[in-house]
Amino acid sequence: VTGLAASHSGSALGNSERLDAEDGLAHLRERFLLPSDTVYLDGNSLGALPRAVPAAVDELIRRQWGEDLIASWNLHDWIRLPQQVGEAIAPLIGAAPGQVLCVDTISVNVFKLLAAALELRPGRPVILLAEGDFPTDGYVASGLARLLGEERCRLRRVPTERLADALDGDVAALLLTEVNYRSGERFDMRRLTAAAHEAGALAVWDLAHSAGAMPVSLDASGADMAVGCGYKFFNGGPGAPGFVYLAGRHQEAAQSPLAGWLGHRQPFAFEPEYASAPGVARFQAGTPPVLGMVALRAALEVFEDVSVADLRRKSLALTDHFLACLEHEALLPDVFELATPRSRERRGSQVSLRHPEAWGISQALIERRVIVDFRAPDIVRFGFAPLYNRFADARRTAVELADILRDKAHRDPRFADKPTVT
Ligand SMILES: Cc1ncc(COP(=O)(O)O)c(C=O)c1O
């Protein structure tokens, strides 16, 4: 970063143009439909629209649904979409075939996996969580604890740096997000999974902010279970279905608490008793959301032409460049506090800046067509999606930020109210 910052002191603009010109992944931006006047740095919340999606959804709706109607479940293999899309996701998260299913949301999948993990580790009632992790994981774990009673399930929440020490013989599962949603800090999946195993616990990973932006090494790390979503770096669209990963070695024993008919061994036998389907397929409960899965399947095609290792290289170069531009504009280290680790190893695909007036700043940026988001109480998040973000986006964002602070544009009273979704 220091080297980059120094080379920027001449012309950050020239540097951005050179980096874009030399970017071997630059052509992938063409695979997305993005408004030309906009810098989109919120792909870690809702990925941009892939060009392939509208046609795929149109074909699904007009021809398959419209003309082939219910025959489409067999004719167009709608029934196998959860497996098909799961297999498309698997190589992107370091999973061998047969372990990933596209299904439900992260929240629902966390419930199913934690319940299964508790059953796999009888006599161990504790779910270990990190303070400051995305709230839904903790909410869902609390709901499960309320349902099962504290003899069978309770939460232990500690700061991330104390997770390894908090693993003892009571812990059934460690649940952690690989990249923290607020700070963008990336945690060491291999090390923490090994620590969990040493204590006899399972490691359950939330990949919301890593899948699609960097290599994820579930199999190689020995992870037991994982969840993720389709709407962030996978660009599957608003409300896209999520996924579960269940390591092969647990597939005999792990059971979903939501024993629904489509997780049954023979759904169309309509038997009165539940008998779980083999493998990860049992983590499906009900009818798959076909529209969302077809959109996600089309969105994932972009990943056939790029390696996640190359995406990671570009993602780090983008965030390096943004940090250098912020320094060039004298916004770091004094005006903002950097919430994201400087170390490349520990950095996800975003830069988070702390400022007491973060809300107004985020709104002033959005008004200037630089789309970022705000995380309470004081963070502006800049998510970099290596499939379509440019180095010039980083540079323009830093320049607009400097301009806003100089003019105090963020203090305008029209930014006083917050909408429902921030
Ligand atoms: C780390 C993390 N986990 C879970 C979620 C929410 O997942 P879902 O809405 O799919 O249940 C999010 C949403 O942004 C997230 O960032």
Side-chain angles (χ1 to χ4, degrees), residues 67-90:
E67 294 174 22
D68 297 331
L69 290 154
I70 198 164
S72 296
W73 284 104
N74 292 313
L75 195 58
H76 303 296
D77 227 6
W78 288 355
I79 197 69
R80 279 191 16 87
L81 275 168
Q83 279 82 11
Q84 251 183 33
V85 181
E87 294 304 353
I89 292 170

mmCIF file of all heavy atoms in Angstrom, residues 67-90:
data_model
loop_
_atom_site.group_PDB
_atom_site.id
_atom_site.type_symbol
_atom_site.label_atom_id
_atom_site.label_comp_id
_atom_site.label_asym_id
_atom_site.label_seq_id
_atom_site.Cartn_x
_atom_site.Cartn_y
_atom_site.Cartn_z
ATOM 1 N N GLU A 67 -45.976 -21.535 -21.754
ATOM 2 C CA GLU A 67 -46.438 -22.516 -22.748
ATOM 3 C C GLU A 67 -46.369 -23.951 -22.241
ATOM 4 O O GLU A 67 -47.298 -24.730 -22.431
ATOM 5 C CB GLU A 67 -45.614 -22.387 -24.036
ATOM 6 C CG GLU A 67 -45.858 -21.049 -24.738
ATOM 7 C CD GLU A 67 -44.943 -20.834 -25.930
ATOM 8 O OE1 GLU A 67 -44.421 -21.819 -26.476
ATOM 9 O OE2 GLU A 67 -44.749 -19.660 -26.294
ATOM 10 N N ASP A 68 -45.269 -24.293 -21.607
ATOM 11 C CA ASP A 68 -45.121 -25.693 -21.176
ATOM 12 C C ASP A 68 -45.754 -25.954 -19.816
ATOM 13 O O ASP A 68 -45.894 -27.123 -19.406
ATOM 14 C CB ASP A 68 -43.638 -26.080 -21.152
ATOM 15 C CG ASP A 68 -43.022 -26.017 -22.549
ATOM 16 O OD1 ASP A 68 -43.775 -26.235 -23.520
ATOM 17 O OD2 ASP A 68 -41.824 -25.731 -22.659
ATOM 18 N N LEU A 69 -46.085 -24.870 -19.135
ATOM 19 C CA LEU A 69 -46.820 -24.973 -17.864
ATOM 20 C C LEU A 69 -46.216 -26.026 -16.932
ATOM 21 O O LEU A 69 -44.994 -26.099 -16.795
ATOM 22 C CB LEU A 69 -48.315 -25.209 -18.162
ATOM 23 C CG LEU A 69 -48.967 -23.953 -18.764
ATOM 24 C CD1 LEU A 69 -50.160 -24.312 -19.623
ATOM 25 C CD2 LEU A 69 -49.358 -22.975 -17.660
ATOM 26 N N ILE A 70 -47.061 -26.849 -16.320
ATOM 27 C CA ILE A 70 -46.547 -27.713 -15.247
ATOM 28 C C ILE A 70 -45.598 -28.803 -15.754
ATOM 29 O O ILE A 70 -44.761 -29.317 -15.000
ATOM 30 C CB ILE A 70 -47.709 -28.329 -14.438
ATOM 31 C CG1 ILE A 70 -47.178 -28.834 -13.087
ATOM 32 C CG2 ILE A 70 -48.432 -29.413 -15.236
ATOM 33 C CD1 ILE A 70 -48.251 -29.096 -12.065
ATOM 34 N N ALA A 71 -45.673 -29.100 -17.062
ATOM 35 C CA ALA A 71 -44.739 -30.099 -17.622
ATOM 36 C C ALA A 71 -43.287 -29.653 -17.441
ATOM 37 O O ALA A 71 -42.362 -30.466 -17.487
ATOM 38 C CB ALA A 71 -45.038 -30.319 -19.098
ATOM 39 N N SER A 72 -43.090 -28.350 -17.235
ATOM 40 C CA SER A 72 -41.734 -27.811 -17.120
ATOM 41 C C SER A 72 -40.945 -28.402 -15.963
ATOM 42 O O SER A 72 -39.719 -28.431 -16.010
ATOM 43 C CB SER A 72 -41.789 -26.296 -16.940
ATOM 44 O OG SER A 72 -42.342 -25.704 -18.085
ATOM 45 N N TRP A 73 -41.626 -28.866 -14.929
ATOM 46 C CA TRP A 73 -40.880 -29.455 -13.801
ATOM 47 C C TRP A 73 -39.985 -30.580 -14.291
ATOM 48 O O TRP A 73 -38.850 -30.725 -13.842
ATOM 49 C CB TRP A 73 -41.826 -29.966 -12.709
ATOM 50 C CG TRP A 73 -42.408 -28.848 -11.888
ATOM 51 C CD1 TRP A 73 -43.668 -28.341 -11.976
ATOM 52 C CD2 TRP A 73 -41.736 -28.090 -10.874
ATOM 53 N NE1 TRP A 73 -43.823 -27.301 -11.076
ATOM 54 C CE2 TRP A 73 -42.655 -27.133 -10.395
ATOM 55 C CE3 TRP A 73 -40.452 -28.110 -10.330
ATOM 56 C CZ2 TRP A 73 -42.334 -26.212 -9.378
ATOM 57 C CZ3 TRP A 73 -40.126 -27.201 -9.331
ATOM 58 C CH2 TRP A 73 -41.062 -26.265 -8.865
ATOM 59 N N ASN A 74 -40.499 -31.385 -15.249
ATOM 60 C CA ASN A 74 -39.677 -32.437 -15.845
ATOM 61 C C ASN A 74 -38.988 -31.954 -17.118
ATOM 62 O O ASN A 74 -37.789 -32.111 -17.283
ATOM 63 C CB ASN A 74 -40.533 -33.666 -16.177
ATOM 64 C CG ASN A 74 -41.031 -34.344 -14.916
ATOM 65 O OD1 ASN A 74 -40.265 -34.575 -13.980
ATOM 66 N ND2 ASN A 74 -42.320 -34.636 -14.875
ATOM 67 N N LEU A 75 -39.776 -31.331 -17.991
ATOM 68 C CA LEU A 75 -39.278 -30.942 -19.308
ATOM 69 C C LEU A 75 -38.061 -30.029 -19.204
ATOM 70 O O LEU A 75 -37.085 -30.175 -19.932
ATOM 71 C CB LEU A 75 -40.417 -30.238 -20.057
ATOM 72 C CG LEU A 75 -40.298 -30.033 -21.546
ATOM 73 C CD1 LEU A 75 -40.106 -31.363 -22.264
ATOM 74 C CD2 LEU A 75 -41.558 -29.326 -22.069
ATOM 75 N N HIS A 76 -38.118 -29.080 -18.331
ATOM 76 C CA HIS A 76 -37.008 -28.129 -18.186
ATOM 77 C C HIS A 76 -36.238 -28.371 -16.890
ATOM 78 O O HIS A 76 -35.475 -27.516 -16.471
ATOM 79 C CB HIS A 76 -37.534 -26.695 -18.276
ATOM 80 C CG HIS A 76 -38.269 -26.438 -19.555
ATOM 81 N ND1 HIS A 76 -37.651 -26.489 -20.789
ATOM 82 C CD2 HIS A 76 -39.588 -26.188 -19.810
ATOM 83 C CE1 HIS A 76 -38.548 -26.264 -21.736
ATOM 84 N NE2 HIS A 76 -39.729 -26.082 -21.176
ATOM 85 N N ASP A 77 -36.489 -29.502 -16.285
ATOM 86 C CA ASP A 77 -35.726 -29.938 -15.119
ATOM 87 C C ASP A 77 -35.774 -28.933 -13.959
ATOM 88 O O ASP A 77 -34.808 -28.785 -13.217
ATOM 89 C CB ASP A 77 -34.253 -30.162 -15.530
ATOM 90 C CG ASP A 77 -33.745 -31.488 -14.982
ATOM 91 O OD1 ASP A 77 -34.547 -32.245 -14.408
ATOM 92 O OD2 ASP A 77 -32.532 -31.749 -15.108
ATOM 93 N N TRP A 78 -36.894 -28.223 -13.816
ATOM 94 C CA TRP A 78 -37.019 -27.279 -12.697
ATOM 95 C C TRP A 78 -36.751 -27.986 -11.365
ATOM 96 O O TRP A 78 -36.205 -27.400 -10.454
ATOM 97 C CB TRP A 78 -38.435 -26.691 -12.635
ATOM 98 C CG TRP A 78 -38.758 -25.711 -13.715
ATOM 99 C CD1 TRP A 78 -37.925 -25.208 -14.676
ATOM 100 C CD2 TRP A 78 -40.045 -25.099 -13.926
ATOM 101 N NE1 TRP A 78 -38.610 -24.333 -15.476
ATOM 102 C CE2 TRP A 78 -39.911 -24.249 -15.037
ATOM 103 C CE3 TRP A 78 -41.276 -25.203 -13.295
ATOM 104 C CZ2 TRP A 78 -40.970 -23.483 -15.515
ATOM 105 C CZ3 TRP A 78 -42.344 -24.448 -13.767
ATOM 106 C CH2 TRP A 78 -42.192 -23.594 -14.874
ATOM 107 N N ILE A 79 -37.168 -29.252 -11.300
ATOM 108 C CA ILE A 79 -37.087 -29.963 -10.026
ATOM 109 C C ILE A 79 -35.637 -30.134 -9.564
ATOM 110 O O ILE A 79 -35.371 -30.252 -8.380
ATOM 111 C CB ILE A 79 -37.833 -31.333 -10.119
ATOM 112 C CG1 ILE A 79 -38.123 -31.902 -8.738
ATOM 113 C CG2 ILE A 79 -37.094 -32.329 -10.983
ATOM 114 C CD1 ILE A 79 -39.146 -31.139 -7.954
ATOM 115 N N ARG A 80 -34.709 -30.126 -10.532
ATOM 116 C CA ARG A 80 -33.303 -30.336 -10.153
ATOM 117 C C ARG A 80 -32.522 -29.032 -9.997
ATOM 118 O O ARG A 80 -31.309 -29.039 -9.788
ATOM 119 C CB ARG A 80 -32.622 -31.258 -11.169
ATOM 120 C CG ARG A 80 -32.933 -32.739 -10.912
ATOM 121 C CD ARG A 80 -32.062 -33.690 -11.730
ATOM 122 N NE ARG A 80 -30.873 -33.089 -12.307
ATOM 123 C CZ ARG A 80 -29.689 -32.972 -11.680
ATOM 124 N NH1 ARG A 80 -29.549 -33.434 -10.465
ATOM 125 N NH2 ARG A 80 -28.676 -32.396 -12.287
ATOM 126 N N LEU A 81 -33.211 -27.902 -10.109
ATOM 127 C CA LEU A 81 -32.506 -26.616 -10.013
ATOM 128 C C LEU A 81 -31.689 -26.467 -8.721
ATOM 129 O O LEU A 81 -30.558 -25.996 -8.773
ATOM 130 C CB LEU A 81 -33.497 -25.453 -10.145
ATOM 131 C CG LEU A 81 -33.831 -25.024 -11.577
ATOM 132 C CD1 LEU A 81 -35.028 -24.084 -11.581
ATOM 133 C CD2 LEU A 81 -32.641 -24.340 -12.246
ATOM 134 N N PRO A 82 -32.217 -26.865 -7.562
ATOM 135 C CA PRO A 82 -31.409 -26.687 -6.344
ATOM 136 C C PRO A 82 -30.058 -27.407 -6.421
ATOM 137 O O PRO A 82 -29.027 -26.862 -6.019
ATOM 138 C CB PRO A 82 -32.294 -27.278 -5.243
ATOM 139 C CG PRO A 82 -33.690 -27.120 -5.770
ATOM 140 C CD PRO A 82 -33.577 -27.346 -7.244
ATOM 141 N N GLN A 83 -30.058 -28.613 -6.997
ATOM 142 C CA GLN A 83 -28.792 -29.350 -7.146
ATOM 143 C C GLN A 83 -27.925 -28.708 -8.228
ATOM 144 O O GLN A 83 -26.731 -28.496 -8.033
ATOM 145 C CB GLN A 83 -29.054 -30.817 -7.543
ATOM 146 C CG GLN A 83 -29.417 -31.726 -6.385
ATOM 147 C CD GLN A 83 -30.897 -31.626 -6.019
ATOM 148 O OE1 GLN A 83 -31.679 -31.035 -6.752
ATOM 149 N NE2 GLN A 83 -31.279 -32.176 -4.887
ATOM 150 N N GLN A 84 -28.574 -28.393 -9.366
ATOM 151 C CA GLN A 84 -27.831 -27.821 -10.505
ATOM 152 C C GLN A 84 -27.124 -26.531 -10.126
ATOM 153 O O GLN A 84 -25.949 -26.338 -10.419
ATOM 154 C CB GLN A 84 -28.832 -27.462 -11.591
ATOM 155 C CG GLN A 84 -28.816 -28.314 -12.797
ATOM 156 C CD GLN A 84 -29.827 -27.760 -13.800
ATOM 157 O OE1 GLN A 84 -30.064 -26.546 -13.905
ATOM 158 N NE2 GLN A 84 -30.431 -28.665 -14.535
ATOM 159 N N VAL A 85 -27.857 -25.634 -9.476
ATOM 160 C CA VAL A 85 -27.266 -24.347 -9.117
ATOM 161 C C VAL A 85 -26.250 -24.552 -7.994
ATOM 162 O O VAL A 85 -25.192 -23.909 -7.968
ATOM 163 C CB VAL A 85 -28.363 -23.316 -8.745
ATOM 164 C CG1 VAL A 85 -27.755 -21.974 -8.391
ATOM 165 C CG2 VAL A 85 -29.345 -23.159 -9.891
ATOM 166 N N GLY A 86 -26.529 -25.499 -7.104
ATOM 167 C CA GLY A 86 -25.557 -25.834 -6.052
ATOM 168 C C GLY A 86 -24.239 -26.293 -6.666
ATOM 169 O O GLY A 86 -23.166 -25.881 -6.229
ATOM 170 N N GLU A 87 -24.315 -27.116 -7.709
ATOM 171 C CA GLU A 87 -23.077 -27.602 -8.343
ATOM 172 C C GLU A 87 -22.342 -26.476 -9.078
ATOM 173 O O GLU A 87 -21.127 -26.534 -9.222
ATOM 174 C CB GLU A 87 -23.365 -28.763 -9.308
ATOM 175 C CG GLU A 87 -23.873 -30.046 -8.655
ATOM 176 C CD GLU A 87 -22.968 -30.620 -7.551
ATOM 177 O OE1 GLU A 87 -21.842 -30.114 -7.336
ATOM 178 O OE2 GLU A 87 -23.397 -31.565 -6.869
ATOM 179 N N ALA A 88 -23.086 -25.483 -9.555
ATOM 180 C CA ALA A 88 -22.416 -24.338 -10.198
ATOM 181 C C ALA A 88 -21.687 -23.492 -9.149
ATOM 182 O O ALA A 88 -20.642 -22.888 -9.423
ATOM 183 C CB ALA A 88 -23.432 -23.491 -10.955
ATOM 184 N N ILE A 89 -22.229 -23.455 -7.939
ATOM 185 C CA ILE A 89 -21.617 -22.664 -6.860
ATOM 186 C C ILE A 89 -20.400 -23.395 -6.275
ATOM 187 O O ILE A 89 -19.400 -22.771 -5.891
ATOM 188 C CB ILE A 89 -22.664 -22.374 -5.760
ATOM 189 C CG1 ILE A 89 -23.742 -21.412 -6.286
ATOM 190 C CG2 ILE A 89 -22.017 -21.818 -4.489
ATOM 191 C CD1 ILE A 89 -24.952 -21.256 -5.366
ATOM 192 N N ALA A 90 -20.470 -24.739 -6.231
ATOM 193 C CA ALA A 90 -19.461 -25.532 -5.507
ATOM 194 C C ALA A 90 -18.007 -25.167 -5.827
ATOM 195 O O ALA A 90 -17.227 -24.894 -4.904
ATOM 196 C CB ALA A 90 -19.727 -27.019 -5.732
#
